Amino acid sequence: MKKLPDSEFAVMQAVWAQTPPVTAGQVQNLVSEYGWKLPTVISFLKRLVEKGYLSTQKEGKERRFSPLIEQQNYLQFETQSFLKQYHGSSVASLVNTLYNGKSISDSELDDLLQWVHRKKEENDA
């Protein structure tokens, strides 16, 4: 798996947000904030097919697209890559950076602590 450019990731998010298979027009509606014309969206979809992220099939006059990569799998890949590149694979470094940068609230920190305790109990069981 390879990191997607932001534009292709936006298109994948639009595909994941819908029940597949989806048309280029449906994707364009969800990425309308970018102002991309339909041919641009179609180009992104074709690239994602070539990269193995989407499959395509023709139905009548339209092409429909379905994800081959689950959103959770891609997010896990991206997160692990980010963690390795910027924090030396240290979750503690990431949390410390978020906390010191005021990007994580005390209530989020409490939620994180509860999650850590649950995971520890699961591992100990």
Side-chain angles (χ1 to χ4, degrees):
M1 199 175 311
K2 291 186 178 180
K3 179 175 175 33
L4 293 174
D6 291 344
S7 55
E8 292 175 14
F9 180 63
V11 170
M12 282 302 298
Q13 286 182 303
V15 172
W16 286 321
Q18 301 175 75
T19 303
V22 299
T23 65
Q26 289 172 307
V27 171
Q28 184 189 23
N29 288 337
L30 285 179
V31 295
S32 61
E33 67 203 59
Y34 298 101
W36 295 329
K37 304 250 185 256
L38 188 58
T40 301
V41 172
I42 291 170
S43 292
F44 290 141
L45 290 165
K46 285 180 180 178
R47 277 192 236 159
L48 289 164
V49 168
E50 290 168 5
K51 291 179 178 183
Y53 284 84
L54 296 174
S55 67
T56 185
Q57 63 276 352
K58 191 163 181 149
E59 290 184 21
K61 293 182 179 184
E62 286 191 304
R63 287 213 157 269
R64 296 193 177 270
F65 300 87
S66 297
L68 293 173
I69 305 287
E70 291 183 29
Q71 184 177 21
Q72 186 59 36
N73 291 345
Y74 184 77
L75 293 178
Q76 187 174 23
F77 160 76
E78 276 280 14
T79 303
Q80 289 172 344
S81 175
F82 173 84
L83 191 62
K84 182 178 180 183
Q85 181 175 358
Y86 293 102
H87 295 280
S89 298
S90 170
V91 174
S93 171
L94 172 65
V95 172
N96 187 49
T97 300
L98 292 172
Y99 189 75
N100 288 336
K102 306 295 184 221
S103 298
I104 188 170
S105 69
D106 286 341
S107 67
E108 289 174 315
L109 196 56
D110 288 340
D111 291 344
L112 183 58
L113 282 171
Q114 289 175 11
W115 179 84
V116 168
H117 289 300
R118 274 195 317 272
K119 290 299 177 186
K120 184 161 178 25
E121 287 173 5
E122 289 173 9
N123 284 342
D124 291 344

